[in-house]
Amino acid sequence: MPKIIVLPHEELCPEGAVIEAESGVSICDSLLANGVEIEHACEKSCACTTCHVIVREGFNSLAPSDELEDDMLDKAWGLEPQSRLSCQAKVNQADLVVEIPKYTINMVKEGH
């Protein structure tokens, strides 16, 4: 079973995490199922960038992004060549190392 290694994030995952992920499940759903409360303001419909992650290792194991995801990523804070929307990127067979950016462009955050 592939693993997702989440690099430390000040608010969401201060210690970092290593989680087991199911192939075919999105990075976002894998994180949420394991207590990493990544933002997903559009309910994972590829209509925002709040679930933006940077895939530091294993990027090439992911299926390529489509045009809609690429258009949304252009609006993401801290965009890098290995950026993906975690709601769209599905885990394959390879382990992933994922960084959650410090900021999002979410104008409204529930619970705060």
Side-chain angles (χ1 to χ4, degrees), residues 1 9 12-13 15 23 27 34 39 45 49 59-61 65 68 77-78 85 88 94 102 106 110 112:
M1 194 175 256
H9 181 279
L12 302 177
C13 192
E15 304 295 319
S23 294
I27 294 171
N34 286 277
E39 292 185 53
S45 66
T49 63
F59 181 82
N60 290 330
S61 72
S65 56
L68 177 60
W77 183 91
L85 296 181
Q88 300 300 301
K102 186 173 182 178
N106 192 1
E110 305 238 352
H112 291 278

Side-chain angles (χ1 to χ4, degrees), residues 95-110:
D95 292 348
L96 302 173
V97 176
V98 173
E99 178 180 350
I100 302 170
K102 186 173 182 178
Y103 301 107
T104 71
I105 59 170
N106 192 1
M107 300 300 184
V108 178
K109 188 172 181 181
E110 305 238 352

Side-chain angles (χ1 to χ4, degrees), residues 72-100:
M72 290 309 305
L73 279 169
D74 285 341
K75 302 172 186 173
W77 183 91
L79 183 67
E80 294 191 17
Q82 297 84 20
S83 288
R84 290 297 302 265
L85 296 181
S86 66
C87 70
Q88 300 300 301
K90 297 193 187 308
V91 177
N92 207 331
Q93 298 299 318
D95 292 348
L96 302 173
V97 176
V98 173
E99 178 180 350
I100 302 170

